Amino acid sequence: MNTTDCLFCRIVAGEIPATVVRETRTTLAFRDIGPKAPVHVLVIPKEHYADVATLAEGDPGLAGEVLATAAAVAEEEGLLGDGFRLLFNTGAYGGQEVFHVHAHLLGGAPLGPMLAGNLS
Ligand code: 5GP
Ligand code: ZN
């Protein structure tokens, strides 16, 4: 994909505004535009990878940096005591809508069951 066509690459480039809560040399964390919980932060690598599988295969160290940034934001947002959820929607069944890998960091209230329903 041409990264100029990627929404999150454009946020990294500063072409689209976002509420950034943490930035490292390789990662960016910013608030989700449609929060699903009191705290809803997206954590991305600045480099474009389509999804978590591609990232883990292509640069496992960078995948670890995404997790470390997510953990640092969880601490800054005061989520470590009561807990939080970190998830990567991936592909069609996972409901992924933006194809630049992002971890959803969710917390600030009880988050309910992991899935909406019983799929079995
Ligand atoms: P996905 O469904 O791909 O896992 O999640 C994409 C997320 O990106 C959604 O939660 C959506 O609210 C968020 N999002 C979509 N467009 C924007 C935007 O322009 N800015 C921000 N901050 N979040 C966005
Ligand atoms: Zn991108």
Side-chain angles (χ1 to χ4, degrees), residues 27-69:
T27 68
L28 191 68
F30 53 94
R31 297 200 189 279
D32 194 291
I33 207 168
K36 306 284 195 298
V39 175
H40 188 173
V41 172
L42 303 176
V43 186
I44 67 171
K46 289 180 176 175
E47 190 177 345
H48 183 92
Y49 287 90
D51 59 35
V52 69
T54 314
L55 172 63
E57 169 80 22
D59 193 339
L62 181 56
E65 288 168 25
V66 169
L67 293 185
T69 295

Side-chain angles (χ1 to χ4, degrees), residues 1 3 6-10 46-49 99-100:
M1 168 191 255
T3 54
C6 171
L7 178 64
F8 289 173
C9 283
R10 295 187 69 192
K46 289 180 176 175
E47 190 177 345
H48 183 92
Y49 287 90
F99 286 83
H100 180 132

